Structure formats: C-alpha cells, structure tokens
C-alpha cells in the first residue's frame, strides 16, 4: 500500500493549531505535518499584551510545547523550519535545500510587523512584539528598565500602554493621528480610552512621529517630528502588520493585501489553502481571532472531504484596556450612516445607524461595555 501524502500546514500560531484541532475531530487518520519558523510553542497571542496585568512572563504565557501538541493532536511538528518557496506544480514545499511533498497545503503563516525606517544608532532598542519569541526578547531587554516609549496608538499600542502602566513602567505613546485607534473607534470612544489611559499615567504625543532613536546612557533618546525629545529605556514599535504574501506571490499564487482566497479558503493554486493573518478571505483582511476560528472550522471540513464555505457572523473586537473596558464592532467600510453617541464621562455608547434606522456597528466603553453581546445581536453578520 502506498503511503498517503500528508496535509502540510505552515505555521503553528492560533490559525495552524486551531485548524488541526478542528481537523482531528473529523479525521484522525490522514497524516499531518506542521512546519514553523519559530519554536512551535502553543500560546494565545492576544495574551502578549496582558503579561504584566496577569503577572506572566513568556514562560507563563506558553501553553504547550510542540512535542506535547504533536502527541495530543497526532501530528508531526517541525519547529525552526522556515519555508523558502512553494513548487505548486510538483506539490512540494521548499525549505532551504530540502523539499517536502504535500497532498494539501495550508498557509497559516501570519503577518509581518511593519518596520519604520528611523534615523539614529539605537535600532537594536526598538522592539516589535508579534509572537512569543519577540515577547521573550522584549521582557529580557526590559529587565531593570523603567521607561518605555511606544510608537503607534492603534489597538496593540494602547493595550501595551495599559499593560506596561499596570506593571509600573513610565509610558509615552507617540502616534501620527489625532485620535487613538482611528481605524477602529469613533471619536468619542477614542477620547474616552485616551482620557482613562491618561488618568492611569500614560503620556500621549499625538499628531507627530518618531524620527530618530539614539543611544543615551543605558537607554535611548527619541527625537520627535514636532521638535520634542523623550528619554526611554527602550521603544516598542506597534505601527501595524502586513499579511505575509511574498512567498505566495513568487509561487504564482494570487495575492492582494493578503493571500487571496474564496470563502472555501482556496487560493488560486490547486490544493493550496490559506487562513488567518496572512489571508484575504473573500476580499476581507481581518487580523483577529474570531475570523480565523470560523475559517479553521470550515477548512477542517473541506480537508476532510466536505467542501465548506466560511460564514462570518458578527464579530466584535474587545480592546484589552482594563482602565477603560472597550468593545467595538466596526461598520463595514462601505456602509452609509452616522454615529449616534450617548456619553457619560468615559462611558460611551456609539451606534452606527443606517439611513433606514438599522444598527450596522457600535463602540462601547466604560460601563456601557457590558452591553456588547446584546448590541452584537442587532448588527447584521458580515456574511448574510
Ligand atoms: P501567527 O500567530 O503570526 O502565526 C504565524 C506562524 O507562521 C508562526 O508559527 C510563524 O513562525 C510561522 N511562519 C511565518 N513565516 C513562516 C515561514 N516562511 N516558514 C515557516 N513558518 C512560518 N486578536 C483578537 O481577536 N483579540 C485580541 O484581543 C487580540 N490581541 C492581540 C494582541 C497582540 C499583542 C497581537 C500582536 C495580536 C492580537 N490579536 C488579537 C490578533 C491575533 O492574535 C492574530 O490575529 C492571530 O493570533 C493570528 O494568528 P495566525 O496563526 O494567523 O498568525
């Protein structure tokens, strides 16, 4: 009897591990090989911005070793194995000078952090935190320090600001926009989060950017575009993520903002699928956990022989700023309507209402945050 060609999954983040968990519920036999460029440790990435609040370092956030995941899931896991190419005609992955044959291939290789080109001699003091390996390096570098400058006031920058203040660090946040989380929150909700973070001691420098980071004593000095200078022990860069598309493009797989897949998570190449932060599903790039879980459930069925399309429901995003609990369900980008806001101090309830009176999105902060589940019921699912 010939051996069955394996399902190969690239990536052991939440997408890769969620998919294999779902797949094993349906198919315990087909061989699965997971390859990953990192250590293969299972962890929950959203927890990276809660380490100080929950008093957990990188080891504390690690949930399971690749060996124990392999045993639990009945799969083979190859850590520290970086994919360098895909030969879609031969159905082979290229890993440096080695090749790995696949029956079906799943790309779950995530997104890269955007790195700003800064002047100055202290680039090695600028940390991006996009996985557990990064987090370990960041915590090690921070030991003994007291002051952190964060570039970016998006969801991740704001969560780290809150978490680092909870850990007792001095925190400066520098960002070019006038508001926090501009692509996610309406103005009133952004103002509420800002005011509670300021009450917690976070200092904001908005409407400007970091131009230069130079060494100063054991720390760094940041020169801002508005002429200000700031001192810090190190810098966290939280300026955004870009889905990893290069290797797919080089293999002739269609990519736009992300690797393009239809609702069955099929790429333009036969037997190659994608999900998670690297994927653009039916035109949408959603770098969150709920969409990738929905994709993992659908793709598991497809891989086990029943072609299944993902159906996105309503997917609110929780912002982990405990000083100002916040949840948001952004309206679709093309939606017509207006924000209607009710405010009581830092408690904001903003509903995005269509001309016909339908609620298409919401943002709630402070005491209104508990209404998120109820409000989510009124918002139409992303896939009708
Ligand atoms: P990743 O976790 O990035 O995994 C990618 C995998 O691919 C890794 O194993 C990597 O080593 C591997 N890989 C990459 N390139 C190669 C290669 N060439 N060869 C082999 N392997 C490769 N979302 C929410 O919904 N709620 C939250 O509260 C939330 N908080 C967050 C907080 C932080 C600090 C961050 C950074 C993100 C947060 N997110 C949150 C987003 C969410 O965590 C991600 O959407 C999700 O974890 C992405 O998982 P993934 O498996 O697609 O990608």
């Amino acid at each position: 009897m010939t051996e069955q060609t394996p399902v190969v999954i690239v990536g052991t983040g939440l997408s890769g591990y969620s998919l294999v968990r779902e797949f094993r519920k349906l198919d315990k036999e087909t061989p699965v090989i997971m390859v990953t460029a990192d250590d293969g440790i299972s962890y929950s990435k959203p927890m990276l911005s809660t380490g100080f609040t929950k008093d957990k370092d990188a080891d504390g956030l690690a949930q399971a070793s690749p060996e124990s995941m392999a045993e639990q899931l009945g799969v083979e896991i190859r850590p520290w194995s970086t994919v360098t190419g895909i030969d879609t005609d031969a159905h082979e992955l290229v890993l440096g000078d080695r090749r790995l044959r696949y029956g079906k291939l799943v790309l779950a290789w995530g997104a890269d952090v955007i790195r700003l080109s800064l002047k100055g001699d202290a680039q090695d003091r600028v940390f991006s935190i996009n996985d557990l390996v990064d987090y370990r390096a960041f915590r090690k570098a921070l030991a003994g320090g007291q002051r952190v400058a964060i570039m970016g006031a998006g969801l991740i920058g704001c969560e780290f600001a809150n978490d680092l203040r909870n850990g007792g660090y001095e925190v400066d946040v520098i960002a070019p926009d006038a508001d926090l989380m501009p692509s996610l929150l309406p103005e009133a909700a952004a103002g509420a989060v800002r005011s509670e973070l300021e009450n917690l001691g976070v200092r904001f420098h908005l409407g400007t950017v970091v131009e230069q980071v130079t060494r100063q004593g054991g720390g760094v000095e940041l020169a801002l575009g508005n002429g200000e200078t700031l001192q810090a022990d190190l810098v966290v860069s939280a300026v955004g993520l870009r889905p990893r598309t290069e290797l797919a493009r080089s293999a002739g797989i269609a990519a736009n903002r992300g690797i393009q897949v239809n609702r069955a998570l099929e790429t333009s190449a036969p037997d190659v699928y994608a999900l998670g932060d690297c994927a653009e599903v039916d035109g949408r790039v959603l770098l969150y956990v709920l969409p990738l879980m929905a994709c993992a459930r659908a793709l598991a069925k497809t891989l086990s022989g029943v072609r299944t399309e993902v159906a996105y429901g309503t997917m609110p995003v929780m912002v982990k700023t405990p000083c100002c609990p916040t949840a948001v369900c952004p309206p679709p980008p093309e939606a017509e309507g207006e924000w209607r806001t009710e405010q009581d101090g830092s408690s904001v309830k903003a509903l995005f209402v269509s001309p016909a009176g339908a609620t298409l999105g919401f943002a709630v902060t402070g005491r209104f945050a508990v209404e998120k589940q109820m409000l989510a019921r009124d918002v139409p699912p992303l896939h009708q």
Side-chain angles (χ1 to χ4, degrees):
M1 204 175 77
T2 51
E3 234 178 72
Q4 209 182 342
T5 324
V7 170
V8 174
I9 300 172
V10 186
T12 54
L14 284 172
S15 299
Y17 278 138
S18 304
L19 172 63
V20 86
R21 247 187 224 109
E22 295 295 330
F23 182 59
R24 278 297 182 240
K25 288 181 195 164
L26 307 169
D27 177 332
K28 299 206 178 349
E29 302 303 326
T30 303
V32 174
I33 300 179
M34 303 184 78
V35 294
T36 176
D38 64 22
D39 54 16
I41 289 175
S42 166
Y43 71 104
S44 172
K45 191 184 286 199
M47 296 301 110
L48 295 181
S49 47
T50 66
F52 290 102
T53 308
K54 295 193 186 308
D55 196 20
K56 286 190 172 170
D57 60 8
D59 285 339
L61 293 173
Q63 289 170 338
S65 68
E67 294 77 20
S68 99
M69 290 303 285
E71 201 186 317
Q72 262 179 54
L73 299 166
V75 300
E76 181 186 335
I77 300 177
R78 301 185 185 172
W80 307 118
S81 302
T82 301
V83 172
T84 52
I86 309 167
D87 183 339
T88 53
D89 290 336
H91 273 52
E92 284 178 349
L93 268 187
V94 184
L95 298 108
D97 54 7
R98 288 171 302 135
R99 289 199 163 225
L100 174 62
R101 196 164 158 67
Y102 62 81
K104 311 255 182 220
L105 174 65
V106 180
L107 307 177
W109 60 32
D112 266 325
V113 292
I114 295 173
R115 289 180 205 279
L116 300 180
S117 73
L118 300 169
K119 290 186 278 181
D121 63 358
Q123 310 292 331
D124 60 329
R125 303 297 291 169
V126 180
F127 291 78
S128 297
I129 306 167
N130 188 34
D131 58 35
L132 196 61
V133 176
D134 293 341
Y135 191 67
R136 196 178 297 280
F138 162 70
R139 291 292 294 254
K140 191 171 167 207
L142 188 58
Q146 280 178 337
R147 303 158 304 171
V148 180
I150 299 175
M151 298 194 292
L155 174 126
I156 292 174
C158 289
E159 289 189 355
F160 275 118
N162 198 148
D163 193 48
L164 283 157
R165 278 302 298 146
N166 287 356
Y169 295 89
E170 284 183 44
V171 177
D172 287 279
V173 177
I174 308 100
D177 295 291
D179 289 320
L180 311 191
M181 299 179 260
S183 59
L184 205 56
L185 294 184
E187 205 179 321
V193 179
R194 176 178 178 173
S195 110
E196 288 305 323
L197 282 169
E198 281 176 339
N199 288 341
L200 196 68
V202 177
R203 296 181 290 251
F204 285 99
H205 311 264
L206 300 180
T208 190
V209 291
V210 177
E211 291 189 335
Q212 183 169 304
V213 186
T214 43
R215 286 182 191 287
Q216 198 197 57
V220 296
E221 181 172 272
L222 294 89
L224 310 191
N226 65 3
E228 259 186 280
T229 54
L230 300 174
Q231 273 69 43
D233 295 304
L234 54 77
V235 182
V236 169
S237 176
V239 298
L241 292 167
R242 194 176 286 132
R244 293 188 174 108
T245 56
E246 278 318 302
L247 288 175
R249 271 184 227 275
S250 314
I253 297 171
N256 182 36
R257 263 190 76 205
I259 299 168
Q260 288 174 294
V261 293
N262 57 19
R263 282 177 55 183
L265 291 324
E266 295 157 335
T267 68
S268 62
D271 298 320
V272 183
Y273 305 81
L275 81 163
D277 278 8
C278 65
E280 180 174 320
V281 182
D282 192 25
R284 289 188 176 88
V285 174
L286 296 171
L287 307 178
Y288 300 108
V289 175
L290 286 180
L292 75 81
M293 303 289 267
C295 288
R297 285 190 292 273
L299 184 52
K301 289 185 190 150
T302 298
L303 294 177
S304 65
V306 183
R307 187 178 180 279
T308 303
E309 297 199 338
V310 68
Y312 285 156
T314 303
M315 294 191 286
V317 177
M318 315 304 159
V319 183
K320 299 188 295 300
T321 44
C323 71
C324 185
T326 298
V328 55
C329 192
E334 70 284 1
E336 275 181 42
E338 58 172 14
W339 285 104
R340 293 193 191 152
T341 306
E342 179 185 341
Q343 181 157 14
D344 169 16
S346 292
S347 294
V348 170
K349 175 154 100 179
L351 304 183
F352 189 87
V353 182
S354 75
T359 303
L360 302 180
F362 66 83
V364 279
T365 69
R367 71 180 167 83
F368 292 119
V370 292
E371 294 184 26
K372 58 185 183 272
Q373 306 291 8
M374 208 180 64
L375 290 169
R377 275 184 232 135
D378 292 339
V379 175
L382 286 177
H383 287 137
Q384 307 268 3

